[in-house]
Amino acid sequence: MKINSLLLSLVLVLGIGTFAYATFPGGGANLEDPYTTDYLVTQDTIPLKDRYGDFINDPINNPFDLDDPSIIEQEIEYDPESEQYIITEKIGDDYFRMPTYMTYDEYMEWSAEQQQRDYFDQLAGISSGSKGASGLVDPLAGIDVQRDVIDRLFGGTKVDIRPQGNIDLTFGVDFQRVQNPNLTLRQQKQGGFDFDMAIQMSATGQIGEKLKLGFNYNTQATFDFENQMKLEYASDNFSEDEIIKKIEAGHVSLPLRGTLIQGAQSLFGLKTELQFGKLRLTALASQQKSQRENITIQGGAQLQQFEVTADQYDENRHFFLSHYNRAVFEESLEGLPQINSLFRVSEIQVWITNDRNETVNVRDIVAVADLGEATRMTNNNPLYGLPPTPRNLDIYNRNALPGRNLITDVDANDIHRDLRDNPRARQLNNAVSVLQNEFRFDQSKDFEKISARLLSPNEYTVNNQLGFISINVNLRPDQILGVAYTYEYNGKTFKVGEFANDSYSTPDSMDPLPPQEVIFVKMLKSTTPRIDLPAWDLMMKNVYSIGAFQVSQEDFRLDILYEDPGGGEKRFLPEPGLENKPLLR
């Protein structure tokens, strides 16, 4: 039969996503005679081919091909007469495919490969089902790859997490009113939002038999090591072939069996234990949060060695009262144990920034860097430059004495005199503007105005002869330290700064200075210390803490060694050849 001007499309769907089509153009196409037909055929996108051999020697590895249905019985039987293995595939009593044969050696080789493949699939967690007695895969067993992977990784699918503890939240408003006449009305009313949170939580968890979790957190813990967190993965008890034996994350430790090198404790990081054959490797990446110290007790006393470098001085603790005391410090100690000095502090008041909201012994002060100084000035204003010759001299070393002579009323410089003579400089609201505009002082460099509290005598110690103080409280870098003191020198009394009970309202008045007026003190430390200013030298950098208390002079030994940092090219000591030699002789 002939069909003219006919376009025929034939679509054949094979399997999943597999198709083929043929196109017959018009013009004398003969469907009955394919040799006279002009046609175009495209191949299958995913070709599915049937096997011609048995299921052992000719397996189908196409992932889109479905397995043989369960009605097909696949068996391998041994024939003792021919000493061969007979491979059959039947549907009922009829052969689905023709039987094939395998020799004994061929079957042993195939069986060994199959067992090896199944063993590695089991180690990888992708076991493909149970095997029958003949080594065949049971088609009814099914595949559960996801479950095998979870069992392989965690040693089971059981998840057990048990948290316990409590979280306490406190909300409130804290308001108080202090009727203190020394404070302004705004300062008498204080209040704010009060919020507090206390957490005490712990949790233990386990996934399978390999992964374990331990967690403990308490916001009110005294020490940091009381809060522990650890995640542990251990597979050492499940298989000898595992490369990864253990993984620990969180608070870990590194115990060592030897006594020569001791392991570290209280580590926070990651620890792994690996095994390659007979080689066992432990890798650790962590941060140490503990410190090991050895203490020796002998004769009821503790013996301990310490080592301190030169840059580890006791910062923001010890201060000279003036540049004069710093200049004569070493000269006064040349005749130890006798201190060679006529300088002696008779009275002192120490002020620091009031950051505790204290209401007792609180005063607004103006701390001036150059107050009472006779040698080194911070301000470069020519109006307050040092006089050509010092006004008060040390009779021994001819150094200028600080402060004002209370008998002759001669001060080391004119700053304090001009401040007393200017009533607006004392006013609480005008002090800063007057010092900046009229005195040409820079805030934080030349002066600081703050609300300060008076330290009690047990919060500091003073060396009366050497003229320096040691602060026993924590002095933060942003806090201000100021002093006012009187001292005696060779029968004369000198004064630096003003005390809280002084009377400077009018020259003839004996009443204390009103609370709404500031007092002027000597500034030893500002909110922003600068190393290029003279005040930086007032902080002592020759006092070091050894971390010990109640040290006995008996059996105490101190060595000071010098290490040349430049290999002989850069020296800080005038005498050569002192490297690694004690400087105290």
Side-chain angles (χ1 to χ4, degrees):
M1 180 178 64
K2 296 182 179 180
I3 303 175
N4 295 325
S5 302
L6 175 64
L7 178 63
L8 176 63
S9 297
L10 176 63
V11 179
L12 176 62
V13 179
L14 300 177
I16 302 176
T18 305
F19 62 91
Y21 63 92
T23 304
F24 302 92
N30 188 353
L31 298 180
E32 296 179 354
D33 187 1
Y35 297 100
T36 62
T37 304
D38 184 13
Y39 63 93
L40 176 63
V41 178
T42 60
Q43 300 295 328
D44 297 341
T45 57
I46 306 177
L48 299 179
K49 297 180 180 180
D50 193 14
R51 57 180 170 85
Y52 297 98
D54 56 69
F55 60 88
I56 293 179
N57 298 314
D58 190 16
I60 297 177
N61 297 322
N62 195 328
F64 292 94
D65 191 5
L66 300 179
D67 294 336
D68 294 331
S70 60
I71 195 174
I72 300 177
E73 299 179 1
Q74 300 174 343
E75 295 182 355
I76 300 178
E77 296 181 356
Y78 178 70
D79 185 10
E81 295 181 0
S82 61
E83 296 182 353
Q84 290 182 337
Y85 286 88
I86 303 174
I87 305 173
T88 61
E89 296 180 75
K90 293 182 179 181
I91 299 179
D93 296 335
D94 299 329
Y95 285 100
F96 176 67
R97 299 183 188 278
M98 293 301 295
T100 58
Y101 303 91
M102 293 179 66
T103 63
Y104 178 80
D105 295 336
E106 291 175 346
Y107 178 78
M108 289 294 103
E109 182 180 357
W110 172 82
S111 179
E113 292 179 356
Q114 184 71 16
Q115 292 178 1
Q116 183 179 6
R117 186 181 301 110
D118 293 340
Y119 175 70
F120 283 109
D121 289 345
Q122 181 184 1
L123 292 180
I126 54 174
S127 176
S128 58
S130 61
K131 302 292 187 294
S134 61
L136 301 179
V137 177
D138 185 0
L140 300 178
I143 301 175
D144 194 355
V145 178
Q146 182 178 4
R147 184 179 182 87
D148 290 343
V149 172
I150 295 178
D151 290 342
R152 172 65 181 157
L153 291 178
F154 302 109
T157 59
K158 181 180 179 181
V159 179
D160 184 12
I161 300 178
R162 302 181 180 181
Q164 58 181 358
N166 59 280
I167 300 178
D168 298 333
L169 300 178
T170 303
F171 300 90
V173 177
D174 186 9
F175 179 82
Q176 60 180 350
R177 180 175 181 180
V178 181
Q179 295 181 354
N180 187 351
N182 295 331
L183 302 177
T184 62
L185 293 179
R186 178 177 297 179
Q187 293 177 341
Q188 291 179 5
K189 298 179 181 180
Q190 300 178 0
F193 182 71
D194 187 10
F195 172 76
D196 190 15
M197 178 176 59
I199 301 176
Q200 185 177 0
M201 293 291 296
S202 63
T204 57
Q206 184 172 351
I207 301 178
E209 297 293 335
K210 296 183 179 180
L211 188 61
K212 297 181 180 180
L213 169 67
F215 173 79
N216 183 31
Y217 180 75
N218 187 4
T219 56
Q220 298 179 351
T222 306
F223 304 99
D224 291 338
F225 63 82
E226 297 182 14
N227 296 327
Q228 296 287 326
M229 180 180 64
K230 185 175 182 181
L231 182 65
E232 180 179 358
Y233 176 84
S235 62
D236 199 7
N237 298 329
F238 289 85
S239 175
E240 297 179 355
D241 300 324
E242 296 280 356
I243 296 178
I244 301 177
K245 294 298 182 182
K246 182 181 293 187
I247 299 177
E248 297 180 3
H251 291 84
V252 298
S253 61
L254 184 63
L256 300 178
R257 298 181 180 179
T259 58
L260 180 61
I261 301 177
Q262 299 179 356
Q265 304 292 329
S266 296
L267 304 177
F268 187 83
L270 181 66
K271 175 183 176 183
T272 60
E273 294 184 12
L274 311 176
Q275 184 174 0
F276 303 93
K278 294 185 178 180
L279 176 63
R280 197 175 183 99
L281 176 65
T282 300
L284 178 66
S286 65
Q287 177 186 7
Q288 186 173 358
K289 293 189 175 182
S290 64
Q291 184 177 2
R292 183 185 299 272
E293 294 184 359
N294 296 327
I295 299 177
T296 304
I297 305 298
Q298 180 179 350
Q302 173 182 334
L303 302 180
Q304 182 179 0
Q305 294 184 354
F306 62 92
E307 181 178 350
V308 181
T309 58
D311 60 341
Q312 296 177 348
Y313 54 85
D314 207 1
E315 187 178 9
N316 291 332
R317 285 286 307 278
H318 313 277
F319 296 87
F320 287 108
L321 296 179
S322 67
H323 290 284
Y324 165 80
N325 300 109
R326 185 178 187 272
V328 300
F329 179 78
E330 295 184 0
E331 298 179 5
S332 303
L333 298 178
E334 290 180 352
L336 285 177
Q338 184 69 29
I339 298 178
N340 184 20
S341 176
L342 298 177
F343 184 95
R344 179 175 292 276
V345 177
S346 57
E347 186 179 1
I348 188 172
Q349 287 184 352
V350 183
W351 302 85
I352 67 170
T353 306
N354 181 24
D355 56 352
R356 301 181 181 180
N357 293 327
E358 296 281 350
T359 58
V360 181
N361 294 328
V362 176
R363 191 66 183 265
D364 287 289
I365 67 171
V366 173
V368 183
D370 294 335
L371 197 68
E373 285 295 342
T375 53
R376 301 180 60 187
M377 299 288 289
T378 302
N379 187 268
N380 54 7
N381 187 355
L383 182 62
Y384 296 108
L386 293 176
T389 57
R391 298 172 179 175
N392 301 313
L393 278 178
D394 186 337
I395 61 177
Y396 289 103
N397 50 30
R398 309 300 295 175
N399 285 326
L401 294 172
R404 177 173 60 95
N405 191 326
L406 296 183
I407 299 177
T408 61
D409 199 21
V410 176
D411 206 335
N413 59 57
D414 299 331
I415 295 179
H416 194 196
R417 181 201 62 188
D418 293 345
L419 290 174
R420 288 184 299 167
D421 295 341
N422 192 332
R424 297 178 64 253
R426 288 195 177 277
Q427 296 177 0
L428 194 62
N429 298 327
N430 298 326
V432 175
S433 60
V434 171
L435 290 176
Q436 290 178 341
N437 299 328
E438 299 182 19
F439 287 79
R440 302 179 187 177
F441 285 172
D442 295 333
Q443 195 168 7
S444 77
K445 172 190 172 184
D446 297 307
F447 76 97
E448 293 276 8
K449 176 187 175 297
I450 57 168
S451 175
R453 67 181 183 92
L454 181 65
L455 294 184
S456 59
N458 59 348
E459 292 181 308
Y460 66 91
T461 57
V462 56
N463 191 304
N464 297 326
Q465 291 182 276
L466 296 177
F468 69 86
I469 61 173
S470 299
I471 307 300
N472 299 331
V473 297
N474 184 22
L475 184 63
R476 298 193 307 271
D478 59 342
Q479 286 185 312
I480 298 173
L481 178 65
V483 294
Y485 61 95
T486 59
Y487 69 93
E488 296 179 359
Y489 180 85
N490 195 24
K492 301 177 182 179
T493 303
F494 296 82
K495 186 175 183 179
V496 178
E498 301 173 354
F499 293 110
N501 54 351
D502 286 343
S503 57
Y504 286 105
S505 299
T506 59
D508 299 333
S509 175
M510 299 301 295
D511 297 331
L513 200 64
Q516 62 271 18
E517 295 187 359
V518 300
I519 61 175
F520 301 103
V521 298
K522 164 69 176 175
M523 183 172 66
L524 302 183
K525 178 186 170 301
S526 64
T527 54
T528 56
R530 291 170 44 183
I531 61 175
D532 59 335
L533 297 180
W536 174 258
D537 295 333
L538 294 180
M539 183 176 67
M540 302 177 65
K541 305 169 186 65
N542 57 345
V543 182
Y544 296 83
S545 174
I546 62 176
F549 301 93
Q550 298 179 355
V551 179
S552 174
Q553 184 177 358
E554 184 180 0
D555 297 332
F556 178 80
R557 178 179 177 181
L558 175 65
D559 289 335
I560 300 179
L561 303 179
Y562 172 73
E563 294 183 359
D564 195 344
E569 298 179 359
K570 184 179 180 181
R571 297 188 178 276
F572 296 94
L573 295 179
E575 183 180 350
L578 296 177
E579 185 175 4
N580 296 327
K581 293 183 179 180
L583 301 182
L584 295 181
R585 303 176 182 175

